[in-house]
Amino acid sequence: MQGVTHLITGIFLQETTNKLRPAFLRYFLIALLAIISHGLLDKLGILTYHPPMPLIYDWFWLVYHFLLVWPITLYILIKYVRHYWFVFLFSVLPDFDWLISSLVKFFSLSFPFGQEAILH
């Protein structure tokens, strides 16, 4: 699923747990649910036009991402990051392994880790 979907889901999770006390329990629950929701949303992404790797030579993929997905994601990040930074971090945390493995492959680095995305 797209990053914007993970961020919006994170906002929903934080808003629904705002009244939970004590604070450490709320933050623990937010982090746990954000990571779990990431996995669930990625499973739903299989049903949509969301291939696991970027299709940089597909005009539809490029237009869709440049005109819709990335601008909306940037808008949400810029507008709401101060209030929702914690849940944003955990909402996209599973994608960091994908980012690291992609960078390792792109630069042809030979690290003992990072060759494959562990969480995906």
Side-chain angles (χ1 to χ4, degrees), residues 51-71:
M53 297 305 291
L55 301 175
I56 59 173
Y57 301 109
D58 181 8
W59 68 270
F60 177 80
W61 189 92
L62 288 173
V63 169
Y64 174 67
H65 281 79
F66 277 109
L67 295 181
L68 192 66
V69 174
W70 293 335

Side-chain angles (χ1 to χ4, degrees), residues 40-98:
L40 293 173
L41 289 172
D42 279 357
K43 293 295 181 196
L44 287 175
I46 294 170
L47 303 174
T48 65
Y49 187 71
H50 182 69
M53 297 305 291
L55 301 175
I56 59 173
Y57 301 109
D58 181 8
W59 68 270
F60 177 80
W61 189 92
L62 288 173
V63 169
Y64 174 67
H65 281 79
F66 277 109
L67 295 181
L68 192 66
V69 174
W70 293 335
I72 292 172
T73 303
L74 283 175
Y75 172 78
I76 289 172
L77 280 173
I78 291 168
K79 184 164 175 73
Y80 298 108
V81 72
R82 282 189 174 170
H83 187 64
Y84 297 105
W85 68 270
F86 183 79
V87 74
F88 282 179
L89 175 68
F90 282 95
S91 292
V92 297
L93 186 65
D95 283 334
F96 284 118
D97 70 341
W98 174 84

Side-chain angles (χ1 to χ4, degrees), residues 7-8 12 16 19-20 22 25 28 35 39 43-44 50-51 54 59 65 71-72 89 97-98 101 113 119:
L7 297 177
I8 291 171
F12 172 76
T16 57
K19 295 180 181 175
L20 187 62
L25 179 61
F28 174 77
I35 291 172
K43 293 295 181 196
L44 287 175
H50 182 69
W59 68 270
H65 281 79
I72 292 172
L89 175 68
D97 70 341
W98 174 84
S101 66
F113 61 89
L119 297 175

